[in-house]
Amino acid sequence: MIVLGIETSCDETGVALYCSARGLLGHQLYSQVEMHAEYGGVVPELASRDHVRKLLPLLESLLSQCELTRADIEGVAYTAGPGLVGALLVGASVGRSIAWSLGVPAVGVHHMEGHLLAPMLEAEQPAFPFLALLVSGGHSQLFEVDGVGRYKLLGETLDDAAGEAFDKTAKLLGLGYPGGPVLAQCAERGDPTRFRFPRPMTDRPGLDFSFSGLKTFALNTAQKNGIDTQTQADISRSFQDAVVDTFAIKCRRALRQTGIPRLVMAGGVSANKALRARLAELAEEEGAQIFYPRTEFCTDNGAMIAYAGCQRLMAGEHEPAAIGATPRWPMDELSAV
């Protein structure tokens, strides 16, 4: 089955073709980062309009790349939520319309399920069950995964997600947009011993996270010491180290509590080199395996939507001939496959 995947949940337009027998056939991605950088963050209306401009040309380019036509598409998967409602409706409208015109089934995919299953696009795939750490601009969650759609939430952020905290801290330090990659790059020049940031909620039982306090700690540190170039780097390093250590402590706790020796990390923040290195060390220490998607599939992309949608379409799921989006969509509402 050849499935078209469409991702338009926020500020990246992604399309992909996935074949149940041959794997990923191809994918294309357009990022709106340059456009939103002028405003220091995503402008929802501009994001929606840009998806309208870019989505169909990207699809035509993808079909040409894969030497296929629309008639070869046997199913359509589109991100139905969570995300920006206007942006979601662009992908849902195009995806549902293509499916209707071709007479093929369509399915709305949960954006975070796409991230969670992104490592399945790699040659080495995790076996079920596994633990999944989802870290992005809007989510920081830890799940026990027993199969597609079988997710048990073990812990989540009680305030800011890690990616959001990265962006806000980068902004207060004057590092620009997008904050996460810029702060991580700046941290490479930082002195890890100059400042000591707290490791939130690691001195109590449980697997929940909290990152808003780190943002406040960074602000207070900057106000006390000023923000010259070296101080920017030192604060960035200490902030990043605190986030990385917090995730490592909670993941170690989850591995020991569940006895599951496989850990997946996915989402935009999973591209962070320091976090990848620390969790790789943790996995080796705990005798566990760790799995990541390749860097290009850490951020939003159509390939993860095509894969997740293919699993659900092959299980017989499909949407009625209506166009809809779910900007807020808990993963525990998903059906098991």
Side-chain angles (χ1 to χ4, degrees), residues 196-245:
R196 170 69 183 180
F197 278 46
R199 275 53 175 167
M201 296 184 66
T202 58
D203 59 349
R204 65 185 75 177
L207 297 170
D208 287 330
F209 309 101
S210 173
F211 296 109
S212 65
L214 290 179
K215 174 191 62 182
T216 304
F217 198 93
L219 175 61
N220 293 337
T221 303
Q223 290 176 338
K224 181 180 179 180
N225 294 274
I227 312 182
D228 56 58
T229 302
Q230 188 57 48
T231 301
Q232 278 181 329
D234 295 342
I235 292 176
S236 295
R237 175 61 183 270
S238 296
F239 171 85
Q240 178 174 266
D241 286 350
V243 173
V244 168
D245 283 352

Side-chain angles (χ1 to χ4, degrees), residues 34-316:
E34 186 175 340
M35 177 179 68
H36 295 295
E38 179 181 351
Y39 305 96
V42 177
V43 181
E45 178 64 21
L46 294 181
S48 301
R49 293 185 182 193
D50 211 43
H51 288 311
V52 172
R53 285 191 291 264
K54 297 298 192 302
L55 185 51
L56 287 178
L58 272 181
L59 173 57
E60 293 305 317
S61 177
L62 174 65
L63 289 169
S64 176
Q65 171 194 334
C66 297
E67 299 183 344
L68 297 172
T69 69
R70 291 194 188 188
D72 294 307
I73 297 172
E74 299 171 281
V76 178
Y78 56 88
T79 302
L84 303 175
V85 64
L88 291 169
L89 284 171
V90 175
S93 299
V94 172
R96 198 64 197 78
S97 299
I98 290 174
W100 181 83
S101 68
L102 295 174
V104 301
V107 65
V109 173
H110 192 291
H111 178 73
M112 296 310 295
E113 180 174 61
H115 277 302
L116 186 152
L117 297 175
M120 298 299 189
L121 293 165
E122 306 303 327
E124 186 178 2
Q125 303 174 353
F128 297 113
F130 58 79
L131 298 175
L133 176 65
L134 299 184
V135 282
S136 68
H139 297 80
S140 291
Q141 298 172 309
L142 191 55
F143 286 95
E144 180 178 331
V145 180
D146 293 321
V148 177
R150 299 169 62 193
Y151 311 129
K152 178 183 178 183
L153 181 63
L154 301 178
E156 62 183 336
T157 183
L158 303 181
D159 40 59
D160 290 353
E164 182 181 5
F166 265 97
D167 288 342
K168 289 180 177 178
T169 301
K171 187 172 184 178
L172 71 87
L173 291 175
L175 294 177
Y177 175 86
V182 177
L183 188 146
Q185 185 176 13
C186 184
E188 293 178 1
R189 298 183 285 102
D191 178 356
T193 63
R194 182 178 176 189
F195 303 117
R196 170 69 183 180
F197 278 46
R199 275 53 175 167
M201 296 184 66
T202 58
D203 59 349
R204 65 185 75 177
L207 297 170
D208 287 330
F209 309 101
S210 173
F211 296 109
S212 65
L214 290 179
K215 174 191 62 182
T216 304
F217 198 93
L219 175 61
N220 293 337
T221 303
Q223 290 176 338
K224 181 180 179 180
N225 294 274
I227 312 182
D228 56 58
T229 302
Q230 188 57 48
T231 301
Q232 278 181 329
D234 295 342
I235 292 176
S236 295
R237 175 61 183 270
S238 296
F239 171 85
Q240 178 174 266
D241 286 350
V243 173
V244 168
D245 283 352
T246 299
F247 279 132
I249 290 168
K250 295 300 177 104
C251 286
R252 186 190 303 276
R253 192 174 294 174
L255 288 167
R256 293 180 178 182
Q257 286 182 6
T258 63
I260 297 173
R262 288 170 294 279
L263 175 64
V264 159
M265 182 175 67
V269 182
S270 68
N272 182 282
K273 294 178 182 178
L275 182 56
R276 284 193 172 216
R278 182 68 187 92
L279 291 188
E281 291 176 2
L282 168 66
E284 184 174 357
E285 292 165 2
E286 296 295 318
Q289 293 176 286
I290 187 154
F291 301 86
Y292 317 101
R294 71 195 76 166
T295 304
E296 62 186 314
F297 293 154
C298 290
T299 53
D300 298 348
N301 63 87
M304 68 183 191
I305 302 304
Y307 177 85
C310 184
Q311 307 314 303
R312 292 192 171 275
L313 287 168
M314 292 184 66

